[in-house]
Each structure stands twice: as C-alpha cells, then as structure tokens.
C-alpha cells in the first residue's frame, strides 16, 4: 500500500513540474534571457557526430526575396530571386548558424544587384560566420521585350538567369553569369533528305526541327560588367533562331524561312556559341551546354564546350535533364 502511495506522490510531483502547454503571446525575450538559450551550433568539438573533418559547403538553398536588377539602359527592375548560399566549415567546428547567412544577405536587400555586388556580400559573410570560403547563387527570370519577325507585335520573353559569386581563403573573388537561351534547331540532314524527295519523286516532306536550349555560364573579367541583354545578344547572333513570343501568319512563315536559312546540328550550335563568346573580351572563361529535344528520336542530342582555360571550366556539365524546356 505504501509503495502505491509513493508512486502516486511522484506522479503528482511530475505533473506539478510539467511545462505550461500554451503559447505566451506577450512574452518578450530580452538580452539577458537570450543569453540563457542553448547554442548547439557552437558547442564543443566533443559533441561532433561522425568524422571530425572539414565540410566544403554547408548553408541554405532556395530562400526567396525580391531583388533589384539593372537593365542595360540603367532601368531598375525588381524581380523575385531564389538564393543559394553556402560557406565552408572547418574541422573542430560543429556547425554554422543558418539564419546568419540570411541575415547577412538582408543587409544588402535594398541594393541593386549585379555580379559585383556579390563580392561585398561574400566578404561580410566570411566575417560574420568566421569561415574561409563562401559562395552565392542568385537565380531569377529576367524579362526582355521581343518584337515579332514581320507583324511588328511585341511581347515579353522570360530568360532563366543566375548570378554566382565565389570567394576563397585569400579573398580572391570570381563572378559568373548563367544564361539560358531557347531556340529552334532545324536538322540539316532532314532538310536535305526532304529536298531530295521533292526533287526526285515530287513528294512533299516536312523536315524535322525541335525546341532547343543553350545554357551559357560565363566568368566575367574582374573589372568588367556584362548585362543580361548582352548575353542574349551574343546567343542571338550565334544561333539566330530564337523561339518567338507573339506571332501572326507572316511571322510563322518568316520563322520557317529563318530555320531554313540557319539549320544546325548540335555540333554547329555549340561551336557557333563558342565563336561569339570567345570573341567577347569581357568574358574570361565560359562553358556552354546545349540540348536539342529531338522530334525524330525518342532521345535527345546534347553537346558541351568550354574555353579550356587552366583552372577554369572543364566541360564536365552533365545535368542535361535541367535543360529540358
């Protein structure tokens, strides 16, 4: 009987010490209270789980906020951006404060963002997180108004873009602009075979073409600036057959003529882009990945090319699924 009484007494004590199960809406966390909060990220190295080794990248992916971007005519344009930001973590350090990365970025949220802005953000990030290396990638969709080929209608075309910045142990900064260009690729072989059937047997044929995409990643020279419009112009000059926005019949006919004038294999597309970007002196290094979404085959044609600078891009791009458009 006494044993049962002791158990009941203990249960009452536990119930008395149980936490209050409601939210304290009016509670204020002052500085003295915050000092009492546990800080697991900065715990001693004895609390590290797994191998006590450095981590090359740790951080946050896809936090979003509106940022201001500058057009080539110095117009300010506000767009939704998706941010990925990481830092290195040394051995003997348990972790980082993830929200600190976001807080650093918000210090610059009212600025106009160019690839050069990232250097300031990365320097501050290294300082605030006591790390040796840091990187940021800002992804956004950039609108450019395009004119139809013959009917003079205009409409907006949106381009998938990103600014990426890296800073290393010696505070050496690198800036990269990523730009996706969607175009039509008419097959030269199919065009010749169709013409052969028409000439020799008077058979009407339609040569095959397909929606295609090029992703250009360009490292910009330290003192140079290149706009999204510049990236677009280089791609357009190389490939000519950008997909259209608003079209009427005369525009559709013009597009068929354009594809006939600039038919191209995947090998042609990669080399044509190489030629344009290699001639642009503001670009230090580049990598170009193309995909042609074949309408003849049930698989796609792909190609990758790079400038080949020592220590630069290697042409190892393999995420072709991300290019499907």
């Amino acid at each position: 009987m006494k044993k049962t009484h002791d158990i009941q007494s203990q249960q009452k004590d536990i119930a008395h010490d149980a936490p209050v199960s409601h939210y304290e809406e009016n509670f204020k966390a002052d500085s003295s209270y915050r000092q009492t909060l546990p800080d697991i990220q900065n715990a001693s190295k004895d609390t590290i789980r797994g191998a006590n080794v450095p981590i090359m990248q740790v951080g946050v992916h896809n936090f979003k906020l509106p940022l201001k971007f500058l057009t080539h005519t110095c117009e300010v344009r506000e767009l939704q951006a998706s941010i990925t930001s990481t830092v290195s973590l040394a051995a003997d350090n348990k972790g980082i404060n993830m929200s600190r990365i976001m807080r650093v970025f918000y210090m610059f949220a009212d600025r106009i963002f160019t690839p050069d802005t990232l250097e300031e953000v990365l320097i501050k990030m290294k300082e605030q997180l006591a790390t040796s290396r840091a990187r940021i990638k800002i992804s956004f969709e950039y609108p450019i108004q395009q004119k139809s080929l013959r009917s003079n209608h205009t409409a907006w075309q949106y381009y998938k873009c990103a600014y990426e910045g890296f800073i290393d142990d010696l505070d050496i900064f690198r800036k990269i602009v990523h730009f996706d260009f969607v175009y039509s690729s008419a097959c030269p072989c199919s065009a010749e075979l169709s013409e052969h059937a028409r000439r020799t047997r008077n058979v009407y044929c339609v040569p095959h073409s397909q929606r295609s995409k090029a992703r250009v990643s360009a490292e910009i020279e330290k003192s140079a600036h290149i706009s999204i419009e510049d990236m677009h112009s280089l791609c357009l000059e190389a490939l000519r057959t950008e997909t259209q926005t608003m079209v009427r019949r005369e525009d559709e006919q013009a597009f068929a003529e354009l594809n006939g004038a600039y038919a191209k294999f995947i090998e042609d597309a990669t080399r044509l882009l190489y030629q344009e970007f290699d001639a642009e002196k503001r670009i230090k290094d580049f990598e170009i990945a193309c995909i042609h979404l074949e309408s003849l085959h049930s698989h796609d044609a792909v190609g990758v090319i790079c400038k080949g600078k020592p220590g630069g891009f290697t042409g190892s791009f393999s995420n072709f699924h991300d290019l499907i458009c």
Side-chain angles (χ1 to χ4, degrees):
M1 187 71 179
K2 184 176 185 303
K3 186 175 180 181
T4 303
H5 176 76
D6 290 344
I7 292 172
Q8 289 174 342
S9 177
Q10 289 173 8
Q11 287 174 340
K12 286 180 181 179
D13 290 341
I14 291 170
H16 180 74
D17 294 336
V20 179
S21 58
H22 73 275
Y23 178 69
E24 297 183 76
E25 291 188 12
N26 297 320
F27 177 76
K28 303 294 183 184
D30 58 21
S31 59
S32 60
Y33 179 81
R34 289 196 297 271
Q35 289 174 6
T36 69
L37 296 172
D39 186 359
I40 302 301
Q41 285 97 344
N42 293 317
S44 70
K45 66 178 181 180
D46 297 332
T47 65
I48 292 173
R49 301 181 66 184
N52 185 4
V53 295
I55 299 176
M56 286 66 188
Q57 290 190 62
V58 60
V60 295
H61 168 65
N62 197 33
F63 76 87
K64 295 178 180 178
L65 69 165
L67 294 179
K68 299 180 182 71
F69 298 90
L70 203 61
T71 70
H72 70 303
T73 57
C74 296
E75 173 194 349
V76 177
R77 187 171 288 164
E78 188 169 86
L79 305 171
Q80 177 180 285
S82 169
I83 318 298
T84 297
S85 185
T86 60
V87 297
S88 59
L89 183 67
D92 294 340
N93 290 345
K94 182 172 178 61
I96 66 166
N97 188 319
M98 297 283 181
S99 67
R100 190 168 293 172
I101 291 179
M102 293 181 65
R103 294 202 302 272
V104 168
F105 204 91
Y106 267 86
M107 293 178 186
F108 299 85
D110 293 330
R111 295 277 296 276
I112 294 172
F113 268 78
T114 70
D116 294 298
T117 313
L118 297 186
E119 183 173 16
E120 296 179 64
V121 181
L122 289 166
I123 288 171
K124 179 62 71 173
M125 199 169 289
K126 282 184 65 173
E127 172 192 309
Q128 293 290 310
L129 284 100
T131 186
S132 59
R133 297 182 302 279
R135 64 193 295 167
I136 291 174
K137 187 174 184 180
I138 303 175
S139 301
F140 53 97
E141 288 200 359
Y142 187 90
I144 301 177
Q145 201 167 47
Q146 299 293 354
K147 194 174 182 180
S148 60
L149 294 171
R150 287 180 179 152
S151 67
N152 293 323
H153 285 286
T154 57
W156 291 102
Q157 188 91 284
Y158 279 78
Y159 299 87
K160 188 175 179 182
C161 308
Y163 292 158
E164 190 166 17
F166 309 82
I167 195 164
D168 66 11
D169 313 62
L170 303 176
D171 284 346
I172 296 172
F173 172 67
R174 295 175 59 204
K175 54 184 177 180
I176 294 171
V177 175
H178 303 276
F179 180 78
D180 282 10
F181 184 79
V182 180
Y183 61 100
S184 175
S185 57
C187 176
C189 182
S190 181
E192 288 297 320
L193 291 170
S194 296
E195 280 299 296
H196 178 272
R198 185 188 62 80
R199 286 194 313 266
T200 61
R201 294 182 290 119
N202 197 30
V203 174
Y204 174 73
C205 293
V206 178
H208 77 83
S209 60
Q210 48 272 321
R211 185 182 295 177
S212 307
K213 183 189 279 190
R215 175 167 296 168
V216 181
S217 299
E219 181 177 356
I220 313 304
E221 290 283 2
K222 183 174 177 56
S223 59
H225 173 72
I226 193 164
S227 69
I228 298 300
E229 289 86 354
D230 293 333
M231 296 287 287
H232 171 263
S233 294
L234 289 166
C235 290
L236 185 61
E237 182 64 27
L239 300 177
R240 303 298 183 113
T241 53
E242 180 176 14
T243 53
Q244 302 295 294
T245 50
M246 190 179 297
V247 296
R248 301 190 69 176
R249 283 177 293 175
E250 61 265 39
D251 303 309
E252 188 168 354
Q253 184 182 64
F255 194 61
E257 294 173 26
L258 197 63
N259 273 277
Y262 298 102
K264 48 189 159 289
F265 295 118
I266 189 81
E267 297 89 343
D268 301 321
T270 53
R271 286 171 172 152
L272 286 164
L273 286 163
Y274 184 102
Q275 180 175 273
E276 290 299 320
F277 281 88
D278 189 49
E280 175 52 68
K281 301 305 180 186
R282 292 172 293 176
I283 294 175
K284 180 178 181 180
D285 192 13
F286 59 81
E287 180 177 81
I288 297 161
C290 295
I291 188 167
H292 290 186
L293 305 174
E294 290 284 342
S295 60
L296 170 64
H297 304 289
S298 52
H299 55 264
D300 304 318
V302 297
V304 181
I305 201 165
C306 66
K307 189 162 186 173
K309 288 182 70 70
F313 290 109
T314 62
S316 59
F317 181 94
S318 61
N319 188 18
F320 296 108
H321 187 77
D322 195 44
L323 298 183
I324 292 175
C325 53

